[in-house]
C-alpha cells in the first residue's frame, strides 16, 4: 500500500530534481561558452579515490567532480589533453563558478532533506541497532568517562518502553503516517560502585533522565566482567597452589562464575562465586567439578575477597563425557534417514525489517539482551470482518528460576535467575542452519551492548520457519450416510519463531508457534548438561548418607535434583485493550429429580469474572476450570464474549517453603497465573535488579496492591516448569525435555477460521538422475 505522505514527498522531489537538472544544463552551457579550458589537465588513467566512510561526504565530492569535469572541459577534449589556447576572462569564470556552486549547494541540501523524509522511521519496537548503541555510548561518554578503568560499565542497554497509547495510535494509523513515539534507550550502568539509570533520547541526542538507584539488588552480570574474573582467579597464587595440591595441571582448569543469592544479610556486596572445573582431555566442563575450594570474587573491586581450600573431593572420570560426533567412536546409532525440506513455491512468510507476515498472522519480532526473543503487536486476520484483530501486544520470557535441592555448604546458594542475573539474550547463541533450524528457515541477527558500551552482534540469533510435522489441522470422515463416505483432511502447517540461549550448563530452546486456527503455542525445550557433584561411590549400594540430593548417573557422579520455572509476561489485547479475566469453573451437579433419566450427575460451568488481582491468582491443577481473557465490549453474533483461553502445560509449582530465602526472591512462582493491570515499568517478574535481590520488587509484591483488573488493560503472567530428578539417560548430555502451553481462541471467531483452508500439496522431491551428455 502506498504511503501518501511519502508519495507527495517523492513527487515534490521529482519536480525539484527536474528543475535542478534544467538549471545545471543551462549553467553548463553558459560555462562552456565562456570557458574553453579551465584549470590543470586531468591526468591520464585518473580514477576517483575510494569512498570514505561518510557517504554524504562521498556524495558531495563526486557531485562536485562530475560537474567540474563536465562544465570546465572543452568540447571533445579528453582527460589527457592539456590546457587550451588562452585563459578566459576572470569575470566569466567567476560567474560560471558561482552559478555552479550555488546550484550544487541547493541540489545537495534539498536532496539530503528530501531523502531523509523518504526513509521511514524505525518501528517503535525495533531493537536498538549497532549504530544506536554506539550513539548511546558516545552521548553518555560526554558526561561520564566510559570503561572499566573509569569504573563506569554498561549492564543493560535496551529500548526504553514507549508509551503504549502512542504505539497503538501509530500502529492503527493508515500507513503509519503519524509521528511514532519518541525513540529512547534505557541504560543501567555501574558508576564507581553505584547503579545508575539513564534514559537517552535519540531525536535530541541527549540524556533526558539520570538517577542513582538506591534499592536492593544489583544489575545483570556482563560477560566481560565474568571472563575477567575467571582470568584473575587463574592467576591467583593461593588458587594455583590449591590446584597443585590436587596434582592437576592449571592449564586444564576452567573457572566459571555463579551468583550467590541472598540469605538474610542486612548488607550485601556485589560478589559472585567462582567455580573451578578440570578438563584433562574432556570438553564437557560441567561434568568435571573441582569441589572443596570456595572462591568469592568482588565485581566492583575486581579481586578475590575470600578464599578457602576446605577439602579434596574425588574427580569424576572424563572418559565418558565426550559428546562431539567427530570424537565419538563406533558403533553409532540409532540410525536415522536423511531428509530434505523442499518448498517449490518458496516460503509462505514475508519479513520486512522485523515485521513478519504469514498466512493470517502478522507480528513484530525483536531481540532484548535480558529477555531474548520478543513478540509484539500480534494480530490475526478475520475473513468474516475482513480485517486484522488484536491478540497480543507484547509477549516474552520474563524470568527463568532454577533452584538446586542440595542444602550443603557447597551447593545451598545454587538458586539461579537466568534472565535477571545472566541475561537470556546476552547468553543467546547463533543458530546453525539445518540443525538448530530447518533448511527452510530465515534468520535474524541480534545486537547488544558490551560492558564498555560497544555493540556486539550475535549472527543468526533468531530463526523463522514453516513447520511441517505431519500433524493434522482438522479432519472428518462421514460414514453414516448410506452409499456415501466423505473424508476431508487438512494437513497442519505452522510458523515457528525460535531462539536458543545457553545459560551455563543448560540450553533453552524457546519457540513461539503460530497456527492458522488462531492458536499460539509457547514452548521451552531444555537440553544441555546436568550440573553434578562428585562423590566417593559408583553404586547405590554404597550410599551411606541419608540423602544424596540426586541420582548417581555415572561413576563418582551425582546429578543434583532441581527445578525449572519459566515465567512469561503476556500483555494480551483481545480485540482491544479493555479486557477481563474469566475463571470458568467446571462444577459437578446431581441430576434433578425432575429429569426422569437414570443419570445421577453431570457437570456444568460457573463463570466468575475476577475483579481484583487477588481473585485472579491461579494454581493450575487444583480444580477443573478454564481460564479466559475476554473483551466484554466485543461479542459474537450469538452473544458470547470474544476471548482467548489458556491451555496449560503440566501443573507444577514450587516445593520450597515460603520462608526460604530463594523462594522469597522467587515468590512470583507461587502461582502459575497472575493478572495485573498494565504498567510499563512492571516487566520483570523477579524485579529490575535481581542479583542479590531480596524479593521486595517482584510480581508477588506488586500484586499485593490488589488493583482492579475488570475491564482494564491487563497483563497475564504464566509460569510453566517441572521438577527435574536426573536419570542416567541425562548423561553426558540430556535429550531435550519440553514443556508448553497454548493460547487458543474462544468465541473469538464466528466459526472455525480454517474451515475454508485449501489442502496443501505435500510432495517428495524426485530422485535426481544424472544426464548422459554422450
Amino acid at each position: 500500500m502506498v504511503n501518501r505522505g511519502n508519495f507527495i514527498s517523492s513527487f515534490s522531489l521529482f519536480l525539484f530534481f527536474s528543475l535542478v537538472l534544467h538549471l545545471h544544463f543551462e549553467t553548463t552551457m553558459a560555462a562552456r561558452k565562456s570557458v574553453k579550458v579551465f584549470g590543470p589537465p586531468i591526468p591520464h588513467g585518473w580514477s576517483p579515490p575510494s569512498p570514505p566512510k561518510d557517504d554524504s561526504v562521498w556524495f558531495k565530492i563526486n557531485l562536485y567532480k562530475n560537474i567540474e569535469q563536465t562544465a570546465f572541459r572543452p568540447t571533445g577534449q579528453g582527460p589527457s589533453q592539456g590546457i587550451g589556447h588562452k585563459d578566459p576572462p576572470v569575470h566569466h569564470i567567476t560567474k560560471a563558478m558561482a552559478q555552479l556552486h550555488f546550484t550544487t549547494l541547493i541540489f545537495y541540501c534539498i536532496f539530503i532533506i528530501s531523502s531523509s523524509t523518504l526513509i521511514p522511521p524505525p518501528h517503535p519496537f525495533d531493537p536498538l541497532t549497532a549504530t544506536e548503541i554506539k550513539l548511546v555510548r558516545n552521548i553518555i561518554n560526554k558526561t561520564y568517562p566510559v570503561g572499566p578503568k573509569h569504573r563506569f560499565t554498561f549492564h543493560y542497554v535496551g529500548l526504553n518502553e514507549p508509551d503504549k497509547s502512542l504505539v497503538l495510535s501509530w500502529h492503527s494509523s493508515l500507513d503509519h503516517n503519524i509521528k511514532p513515539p519518541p525513540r529512547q534507550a534505557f541504560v543501567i550502568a555501574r558508576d564507581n560502585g553505584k547503579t545508575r539509570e539513564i534514559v537517552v533520547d535519540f531525536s535530541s541526542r541527549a540524556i533526558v533522565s539520570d538517577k542513582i538507584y538506591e534499592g536492593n539488588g544489583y544489575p545483570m552480570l556482563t560477560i566481560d566482567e565474568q571472563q575477567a574474573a575467571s582470568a584473575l582467579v587463574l592467576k591467583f597464587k593461593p588458587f594455583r597452589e590449591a590446584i597443585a595440591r590436587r596434582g592437576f595441571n592449571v592449564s586444564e582448569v576452567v573457572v566459571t562464575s555463579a551468583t550467590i543469592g541472598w540469605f538474610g544479610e542486612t548488607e550485601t556486596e556485589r560478589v559472585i562465586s567462582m567455580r573451578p572445573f578440570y578438563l584433562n582431555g574432556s570438553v564437557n566442563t560441567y561434568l568435571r567439578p573441582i569441589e572443596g575450594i570456595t572462591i568469592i570474587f568482588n565485581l566492583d573491586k575486581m579481586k578475590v575477597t575470600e578464599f578457602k581450600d576446605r577439602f579434596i573431593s574425588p574427580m569424576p572420570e572424563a572418559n565418558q563425557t565426550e559428546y562431539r560426533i567427530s570424537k565419538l567412536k563406533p558403533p553409532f546409532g540409532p540410525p536415522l534417514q536423511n531428509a530434505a525440506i523442499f518448498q517449490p513455491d518458496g516460503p509462505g512468510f514475508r519479513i520486512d525489517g522485523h515485521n513478519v507476515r504469514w498466512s493470517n498472522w502478522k507480528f513484530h519480532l525483536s531481540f532484548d539482551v535480558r529477555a531474548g526473543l520478543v513478540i509484539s503487536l500480534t494480530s490475526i486476520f478475520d475473513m468474516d470482518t475482513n480485517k486484522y484483530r488484536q491478540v497480543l501486544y507484547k509477549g516474552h520470557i520474563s524470568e527463568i528460576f532454577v533452584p538446586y535441592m542440595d542444602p550443603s555448604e557447597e551447593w545451598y546458594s545454587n538458586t539461579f535467575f537466568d534472565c535477571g542475573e545472566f541475561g537470556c539474550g546476552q547468553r543467546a547463541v547463533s543458530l546453525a542452519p539445518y540443525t538448530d533450524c530447518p533448511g527452510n528457515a530465515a534468520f535474524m541477527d541480534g545486537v547488544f551492548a558490551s560492558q564498555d558500551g560497544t555493540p556486539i552482534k550475535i549472527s543468526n540469533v533468531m530463526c523463522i520457519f514453516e513447520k511441517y510435522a505431519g500433524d493434522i489441522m482438522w479432519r472428518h470422515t462421514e460414514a453414516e450416510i448410506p452409499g456415501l463416505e466423505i473424508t476431508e483432511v487438512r494437513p497442519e502447517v505452522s510458523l515457528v519463531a525460535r531462539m536458543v540461549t545457553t545459560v551455563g550448563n543448560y540450553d533453552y530452546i524457546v519457540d513461539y508457534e503460530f497456527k492458522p486456527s488462531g492458536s499460539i503455542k509457547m514452548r521451552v525445550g531444555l537440553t544441555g548438561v546436568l550440573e553434578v557433584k562428585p562423590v566417593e561411590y559408583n553404586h547405590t549400594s554404597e550410599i551411606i548418607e541419608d540423602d544424596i540430593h540426586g541420582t548417581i548417573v555415572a561413576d563418582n557422579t551425582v546429578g543434583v535434583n532441581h527445578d525449572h520455572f519459566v515465567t512469561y509476561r503476556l500483555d494480551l489485547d483481545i480485540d482491544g485493550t479493555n479486557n477481563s479475566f474469566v475463571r470458568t469453573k467446571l462444577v459437578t451437579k446431581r441430576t434433578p429429580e425432575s429429569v426422569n433419566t437414570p443419570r445421577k450427575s453431570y457437570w456444568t460451568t460457573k463463570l466468575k469474572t475476577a475483579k481484583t488481582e487477588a481473585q485472579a491468582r491461579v494454581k493450575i491443577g487444583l480444580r477443573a476450570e478454564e481460564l479466559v481473557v475476554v473483551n466484554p465490549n466485543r461479542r459474537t453474533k450469538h452473544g458470547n464474549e470474544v476471548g482467548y483461553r489458556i491451555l496449560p502445560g503440566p501443573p507444577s509449582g514450587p516445593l520450597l517453603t515460603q520462608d526460604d530465602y530463594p523462594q522469597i526472591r522467587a515468590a512470583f512462582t507461587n502461582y502459575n497465573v497472575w493478572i495485573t493491570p498494565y504498567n510499563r515499568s512492571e516487566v520483570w517478574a523477579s524485579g529490575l535488579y535481581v542479583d542479590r535481590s531480596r524479593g521486595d520488587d517482584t510480581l508477588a509484591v506488586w500484586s499485593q496492591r490488589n488493583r482492579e483488573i475488570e475491564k482494564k488493560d491487563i497483563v497475564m503472567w504464566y509460569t510453566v516448569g517441572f521438577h527435574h530428578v536426573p536419570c542416567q539417560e541425562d548423561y553426558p548430555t540430556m535429550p531435550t525435555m519440553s514443556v508448553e502451553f497454548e493460547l487458543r481462541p474462544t468465541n473469538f471467531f464466528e466459526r472455525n477460521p480454517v474451515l475454508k483452508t485449501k489442502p496443501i500439496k505435500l510432495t517428495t522431491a524426485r530422485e535426481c538422475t544424472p544426464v548422459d551428455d554422450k
Side-chain angles (χ1 to χ4, degrees):
M1 191 174 277
V2 178
N3 186 307
R4 288 180 293 180
N6 284 353
F7 174 79
I8 294 171
S9 298
S10 301
F11 185 69
S12 301
L13 192 59
F14 169 76
L15 292 178
F16 178 76
F17 281 175
S18 301
L19 177 61
V20 169
L21 289 173
H22 176 72
L23 289 173
H24 175 226
F25 176 80
E26 293 295 329
T27 308
T28 302
M29 293 299 101
R32 285 184 174 177
K33 291 177 182 178
S34 302
V35 183
K36 300 218 175 156
V37 180
F38 179 80
I42 300 173
H44 180 65
W46 178 88
S47 60
S50 300
K53 293 182 179 179
D54 188 343
D55 292 338
S56 63
V57 174
W58 175 242
F59 172 79
K60 286 189 287 186
I61 292 172
N62 279 281
L63 179 66
Y64 179 79
K65 281 187 176 294
N66 289 339
I67 295 176
E68 181 186 62
Q69 293 171 20
T70 302
F72 301 115
R73 186 179 299 147
T75 305
Q77 185 171 331
S80 61
Q81 292 177 294
I83 298 177
H85 304 298
K86 63 178 181 179
D87 291 340
V90 174
H91 70 278
H92 287 167
I93 298 173
T94 305
K95 183 178 179 181
M97 284 189 65
Q99 289 176 320
L100 274 170
H101 280 219
F102 178 75
T103 303
T104 301
L105 179 63
I106 295 297
F107 175 80
Y108 171 69
C109 293
I110 302 299
F111 176 80
I112 295 300
I113 295 171
S114 301
S115 296
S116 65
T117 64
L118 291 175
I119 301 173
H123 189 287
F125 285 150
D126 276 356
L128 298 185
T129 65
T131 301
E132 288 175 323
I133 290 174
K134 290 177 184 176
L135 180 59
V136 168
R137 184 188 190 279
N138 292 338
I139 291 170
I140 292 177
N141 195 35
K142 294 177 182 177
T143 304
Y144 306 102
V146 170
K149 69 177 182 180
H150 298 290
R151 298 188 66 197
F152 189 99
T153 52
F154 293 86
H155 293 259
Y156 177 88
V157 179
L159 186 68
N160 193 37
E161 184 72 16
D163 183 271
K164 184 173 179 177
S165 63
L166 295 179
V167 173
L168 291 177
S169 178
W170 173 88
H171 184 63
S172 62
S173 65
L174 182 63
D175 304 323
H176 307 317
N177 55 7
I178 67 171
K179 185 178 180 181
R183 188 163 173 82
Q184 299 176 333
F186 177 62
V187 178
I188 298 175
R190 290 290 286 174
D191 179 12
N192 286 292
K194 296 182 179 180
T195 299
R196 187 176 292 277
E197 298 176 357
I198 300 172
V199 177
V200 174
D201 183 78
F202 286 111
S203 61
S204 62
R205 300 195 170 200
I207 294 174
V208 295
S209 176
D210 186 356
K211 62 182 181 180
I212 296 292
Y213 171 70
E214 302 287 355
N216 296 315
Y218 299 100
M220 190 172 67
L221 277 62
T222 70
I223 293 176
D224 297 322
E225 63 186 349
Q226 292 175 77
Q227 291 175 343
S230 297
L232 289 172
V233 169
L234 286 169
K235 296 177 182 178
F236 189 58
K237 185 177 179 181
F239 175 74
R240 297 177 71 91
E241 291 171 348
I243 294 301
R245 275 193 296 274
R246 288 161 171 77
F248 295 162
N249 186 344
V250 74
S251 65
E252 289 290 313
V253 174
V254 172
V255 178
T256 68
S257 54
T259 52
I260 65 172
W262 171 75
F263 292 88
E265 302 93 334
T266 55
E267 294 184 5
T268 61
E269 293 183 301
R270 191 165 179 261
V271 296
I272 56 176
S273 172
M274 306 304 293
R275 309 286 176 85
F277 298 84
Y278 193 54
L279 299 180
N280 195 31
S282 173
V283 294
N284 207 332
T285 305
Y286 287 93
L287 295 185
R288 303 267 294 159
I290 304 173
E291 292 210 341
I293 302 177
T294 299
I295 312 165
I296 302 300
F297 192 94
N298 189 302
L299 290 171
D300 284 335
K301 299 176 181 178
M302 289 306 292
K303 69 177 184 178
V304 176
T305 54
E306 182 181 340
F307 181 86
K308 295 178 184 177
D309 187 1
R310 297 170 45 245
F311 63 88
I312 296 178
S313 67
M315 175 58 60
E317 295 294 330
N319 58 357
Q320 294 185 6
T321 62
E322 185 59 70
Y323 58 90
R324 293 169 293 178
I325 191 66
S326 61
K327 302 293 184 180
L328 293 172
K329 297 179 180 179
F332 295 102
L336 300 172
Q337 289 294 100
N338 291 329
I341 297 176
F342 176 63
Q343 293 179 285
D345 300 321
F349 57 87
R350 190 176 76 221
I351 300 175
D352 180 13
H354 287 266
N355 294 301
V356 181
R357 285 177 179 262
W358 174 79
S359 185
N360 48 352
W361 285 101
K362 65 177 181 179
F363 58 90
H364 184 272
L365 181 64
S366 63
F367 176 82
D368 178 81
V369 66
R370 180 167 173 175
L373 192 156
V374 180
I375 302 289
S376 57
L377 295 176
T378 304
S379 57
I380 189 168
F381 188 78
D382 186 345
M383 291 178 60
D384 289 330
T385 61
N386 197 35
K387 67 178 183 179
Y388 281 94
R389 299 168 64 190
Q390 294 172 268
V391 176
L392 178 67
Y393 180 72
K394 182 177 280 190
H396 58 82
I397 290 177
S398 182
E399 191 54 273
I400 301 176
F401 176 48
V402 187
Y404 281 81
M405 299 299 144
D406 186 341
S408 66
E409 185 171 349
E410 296 294 312
W411 279 77
Y412 79 91
S413 64
N414 285 13
T415 55
F416 305 123
F417 295 78
D418 285 342
C419 291
E421 292 175 335
F422 301 98
C424 289
Q426 181 176 238
R427 290 293 181 175
V429 298
S430 295
L431 301 174
Y434 302 103
T435 51
D436 283 320
C437 306
N440 61 334
F443 294 84
M444 286 186 184
D445 299 333
V447 181
F448 69 93
S450 65
Q451 179 174 284
D452 68 356
T454 57
I456 295 176
K457 184 176 81 169
I458 309 176
S459 299
N460 296 353
V461 74
M462 299 176 286
C463 72
I464 304 99
F465 60 91
E466 287 167 295
K467 179 180 175 182
Y468 301 86
D471 296 331
I472 297 173
M473 181 187 294
W474 68 265
R475 80 174 314 282
H476 180 60
T477 295
E478 181 61 69
E480 302 302 324
I481 302 174
L484 182 63
E485 182 171 313
I486 302 172
T487 298
E488 286 286 326
V489 186
R490 300 293 184 271
E492 179 76 280
V493 183
S494 58
L495 185 76
V496 177
R498 172 173 294 170
M499 182 198 76
V500 174
T501 181
T502 301
V503 187
N505 55 304
Y506 266 105
D507 297 59
Y508 296 96
I509 306 163
V510 180
D511 282 358
Y512 293 82
E513 183 175 358
F514 297 85
K515 295 178 174 290
S517 60
S519 289
I520 307 174
K521 276 191 173 182
M522 301 180 189
R523 181 186 306 108
V524 177
L526 282 80
T527 180
V529 181
L530 291 173
E531 191 151 343
V532 303
K533 66 176 182 179
V535 293
E536 296 282 355
Y537 34 79
N538 300 326
H539 195 275
T540 55
S541 62
E542 302 173 288
I543 298 174
I544 57 175
E545 295 98 326
D546 292 335
D547 193 346
I548 63 170
H549 310 294
T551 306
I552 301 175
V553 294
D555 290 350
N556 306 118
T557 305
V558 166
V560 180
N561 299 331
H562 58 282
D563 294 327
H564 296 270
F565 294 110
V566 183
T567 300
Y568 287 80
R569 180 183 184 269
L570 304 169
D571 183 2
L572 292 165
D573 282 355
I574 307 302
D575 238 1
T577 55
N578 289 339
N579 291 173
S580 297
F581 181 61
V582 178
R583 302 178 67 167
T584 304
K585 296 182 179 180
L586 279 57
V587 181
T588 301
K589 286 198 169 186
R590 300 288 297 184
T591 303
E593 294 182 0
S594 59
V595 178
N596 190 21
T597 69
R599 281 287 298 273
K600 297 182 179 296
S601 65
Y602 67 100
W603 64 259
T604 188
T605 57
K606 184 178 181 181
L607 279 64
K608 182 180 180 180
T609 300
K611 298 184 179 300
T612 63
E613 292 176 89
Q615 295 177 1
R617 299 170 192 153
V618 180
K619 292 184 178 181
I620 299 293
L622 292 185
R623 60 173 62 93
E625 63 180 333
E626 289 199 346
L627 309 173
V628 187
V629 175
V630 303
N631 187 328
N633 300 317
R634 300 280 191 273
R635 293 179 180 268
T636 66
K637 67 180 182 181
H638 299 297
N640 295 308
E641 292 176 332
V642 303
Y644 261 72
R645 61 177 162 167
I646 187 166
L647 298 181
S652 65
L655 299 178
L656 300 178
T657 59
Q658 296 295 299
D659 63 344
D660 197 359
Y661 293 106
Q663 194 56 40
I664 292 172
R665 300 173 67 210
F668 56 89
T669 65
N670 290 342
Y671 295 91
N672 298 102
V673 177
W674 306 71
I675 303 291
T676 61
Y678 172 82
N679 184 327
R680 68 174 178 172
S681 68
E682 296 177 0
V683 176
W684 311 110
S686 53
L688 185 57
Y689 300 98
V690 185
D691 179 32
R692 310 221 67 191
S693 64
R694 304 185 185 186
D696 54 1
D697 180 32
T698 68
L699 169 61
V701 173
W702 311 331
S703 185
Q704 288 176 4
R705 287 174 281 179
N706 201 23
R707 295 161 289 187
E708 293 184 358
I709 57 172
E710 186 179 15
K711 296 182 180 179
K712 303 287 186 180
D713 187 359
I714 58 178
V715 175
M716 173 184 283
W717 308 76
Y718 183 72
T719 298
V720 295
F722 47 80
H723 310 292
H724 189 179
V725 179
C727 60
Q728 288 183 235
E729 288 82 359
D730 295 337
Y731 185 93
T733 58
M734 189 178 90
T736 301
M737 179 162 33
S738 297
V739 61
E740 67 181 23
F741 66 99
E742 181 177 342
L743 296 174
R744 187 179 179 92
T746 299
N747 299 317
F748 187 83
F749 298 101
E750 293 292 344
R751 62 188 59 79
N752 178 1
V754 291
L755 176 69
K756 295 183 178 180
T757 299
K758 292 182 178 180
I760 61 171
K761 295 180 180 179
L762 291 176
T763 61
T764 56
R766 296 179 178 178
E767 183 179 352
C768 296
T769 304
V771 177
D772 189 355
D773 295 331
K774 294 182 180 180

